[in-house]
């Protein structure tokens, strides 16, 4: 996420009136985010400043950034930036720091302040809170110790989708597709790609493009992607994420373009048709990538699960998948 020192540097760099400036966002292998006006491998354009439009165009830089999506690894499908944000409300008495959660799920947040100067009311340690779905909450109100001098501080907001206080309930998942039988081409701890915390317990099921995909468990649809045609921009391709009653989330990846039939905020039952299988994103062949995840404490990770019936299996790494 972008701190104020970097924001001020961007403001200074872009303040001079000249030609249009393109701003690039780069995420390194450690997940560190940086912005600049020079294109780098893996960077993407986040904003173009047109002459005469001024600093108003930089307001998007105040939003926290998503975790890095690393090539060849389980794509990170956390809450999109614009749906969980920190707002600074300025008033006569100082500043109020408020978190807005526009997701259809609770979100765990952590707010910390660095570089504090001339500030009264700053917390001694980071504030952690669970923000309910579609709501906002005040985390801190700051006032200047000396009203004649400006306050100095850099807010940092971390967030993770879900409520870590909830514990998974025992559940055996019906197969989330219609037809078959199909092959399990990569399972838990697979050597091809299932080795990160987010995807360690995922399964890949090889199946023809267009196979009906159904919800393996009832819940609320949190996130969908439906318009990706090929491998980029999202390594997971088209997808659906569903929040279950115990705080776990079922994630369905690599779906066929235009096939998603559910919408965010919709409540579905087990067996509800949600999409068709595809070959989008970083996929080596048509298959469904299915994983169950939960918030383990400011981090969304995969957890073990069981299907309610056997799936014809090959060794975990016998056939490529993602």
């Amino acid at each position: 996420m972008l701190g104020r020192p970097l924001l001020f540097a961007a403001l200074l760099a872009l303040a001079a009136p000249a030609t249009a400036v393109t701003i690039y966002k780069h995420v390194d292998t450690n997940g560190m985010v940086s912005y600049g006006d020079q294109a780098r491998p893996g960077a993407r354009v986040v904003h173009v400043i047109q002459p005469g439009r001024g600093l108003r165009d930089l307001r998007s830089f105040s939003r926290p950034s998503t975790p890095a999506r690393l090539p060849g690894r389980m794509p990170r499908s956390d809450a999109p930036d614009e749906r969980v944000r920190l707002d600074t409300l300025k008033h006569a008495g100082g500043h109020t720091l408020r978190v807005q959660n526009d997701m259809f799920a609770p979100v765990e947040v952590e707010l910390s302040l660095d570089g504090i100067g001339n500030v009264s009311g700053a917390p001694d340690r980071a504030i952690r809170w669970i923000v309910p779905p579609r709501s906002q909450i005040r985390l801190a109100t700051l006032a200047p110790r000396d009203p004649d001098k400006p306050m100095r501080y850099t807010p940092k907001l971390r967030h993770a989708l879900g409520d870590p206080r909830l514990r998974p309930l025992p559940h055996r998942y019906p197969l989330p597709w219609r037809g078959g039988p199909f092959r399990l081409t990569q399972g838990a701890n697979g050597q091809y790609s299932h080795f990160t915390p987010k995807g360690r317990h995922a399964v890949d099921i090889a199946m023809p493009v267009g196979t009906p995909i159904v919800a393996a468990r009832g819940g609320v649809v949190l996130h969908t992607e439906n318009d990706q045609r090929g491998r980029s921009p999202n390594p997971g391709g088209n997808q659906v994420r569903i929040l279950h009653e115990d705080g776990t989330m079922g994630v369905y990846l690599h779906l066929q373009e235009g096939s998603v039939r559910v919408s965010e905020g919709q409540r579905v039952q087990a067996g509800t048709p949600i999409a068709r299988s595809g070959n989008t994103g970083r996929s080596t062949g048509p298959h469904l990538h299915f994983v169950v995840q939960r918030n383990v404490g400011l981090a969304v990770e995969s957890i073990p699960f069981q299907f309610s019936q056997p799936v014809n299996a090959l060794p975990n790494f016998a056939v490529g998948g993602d």
Side-chain angles (χ1 to χ4, degrees):
M1 58 191 67
L2 186 62
R4 284 201 173 189
L6 183 56
L7 175 59
F8 290 157
L11 290 173
L12 292 174
L14 299 173
T19 59
V21 179
T22 301
I23 302 302
Y24 298 90
K25 174 182 176 181
H26 179 265
V27 184
D28 67 18
T29 56
N30 295 316
M32 297 299 294
V33 179
S34 60
Y35 293 84
D37 59 357
Q38 299 296 318
R40 300 167 59 184
R44 66 182 182 88
V45 176
V46 295
H47 216 81
V48 177
I49 311 301
Q50 298 293 340
R53 294 190 64 183
L55 301 181
R56 292 174 299 172
D57 292 322
L58 291 175
R59 58 182 178 271
S60 61
F61 287 140
S62 64
R63 297 172 179 169
S65 62
T66 49
R69 288 176 172 170
L70 304 180
R73 299 197 178 182
M74 172 66 187
R76 305 190 64 151
S77 304
D78 296 338
D81 280 0
E82 65 272 15
R83 303 193 185 191
V84 181
R85 65 179 186 271
L86 179 67
D87 293 329
T88 301
L89 308 179
K90 298 182 179 181
H91 45 80
H95 297 171
T96 294
L97 303 183
R98 185 183 69 188
V99 172
Q100 177 76 36
N101 174 22
D102 290 335
M103 297 292 291
F104 289 95
V107 172
E108 182 185 19
V109 299
E110 181 186 81
L111 173 67
S112 59
L113 301 180
D114 293 338
I116 299 173
N118 191 39
V119 175
S120 175
D124 296 330
R125 63 189 67 181
I127 300 174
R128 281 199 183 187
W129 206 263
I130 307 298
V131 186
R134 314 284 288 179
S135 68
Q136 57 184 230
I137 189 168
R138 180 187 64 83
L139 292 183
T141 297
L142 311 177
R145 295 184 182 276
D146 183 346
D148 296 327
K149 297 180 179 179
M151 293 187 293
R152 301 190 308 278
Y153 64 93
T154 300
K156 295 183 178 180
L157 183 71
R158 299 172 58 201
H159 65 272
L161 189 60
D163 187 342
R165 300 171 299 182
L166 300 178
R167 292 294 177 262
L169 299 174
H171 189 82
R172 295 177 69 86
Y173 289 78
L175 301 183
W177 61 82
R178 295 285 183 257
F182 301 125
R183 295 182 305 167
L184 173 69
T185 57
Q186 187 179 196
N189 297 301
Q191 297 181 14
Y192 181 80
S193 63
H194 295 175
F195 49 78
T196 65
K198 282 186 169 294
R200 183 166 291 126
H201 299 286
V203 296
D204 290 336
I205 310 296
M207 60 184 63
V209 171
T211 300
I213 303 301
V214 300
R217 189 174 180 181
V220 177
V221 179
L222 298 186
H223 178 64
T224 66
E225 294 188 31
N226 195 31
D227 58 0
Q228 184 167 317
R229 178 168 298 180
R231 293 175 59 86
S232 61
N234 192 333
N238 299 306
Q239 56 192 262
V240 173
R241 176 180 290 269
I242 297 175
L243 175 68
H244 310 139
E245 63 177 353
D246 60 355
T248 61
M249 293 168 279
V251 186
Y252 310 73
L253 302 182
H254 306 302
L255 303 174
Q256 186 178 30
E257 178 193 11
S259 72
V260 175
R261 302 176 55 179
V262 293
S263 55
E264 295 173 8
Q266 179 181 343
R267 183 170 294 276
V268 298
Q269 304 298 322
T272 300
I274 60 174
R276 291 186 177 272
S277 67
N279 191 26
T280 58
R282 195 175 297 277
S283 171
T284 59
H287 74 285
L288 171 70
H289 176 111
F290 177 74
V291 65
V292 179
Q293 300 175 334
R294 66 178 291 260
N295 184 348
V296 298
L298 278 177
V300 175
E301 296 184 0
S302 64
I303 62 173
F305 72 94
Q306 289 185 320
F307 284 130
S308 59
Q309 65 187 77
V311 178
N312 290 341
L314 293 174
N316 285 345
F317 52 90
V319 179
D322 191 21

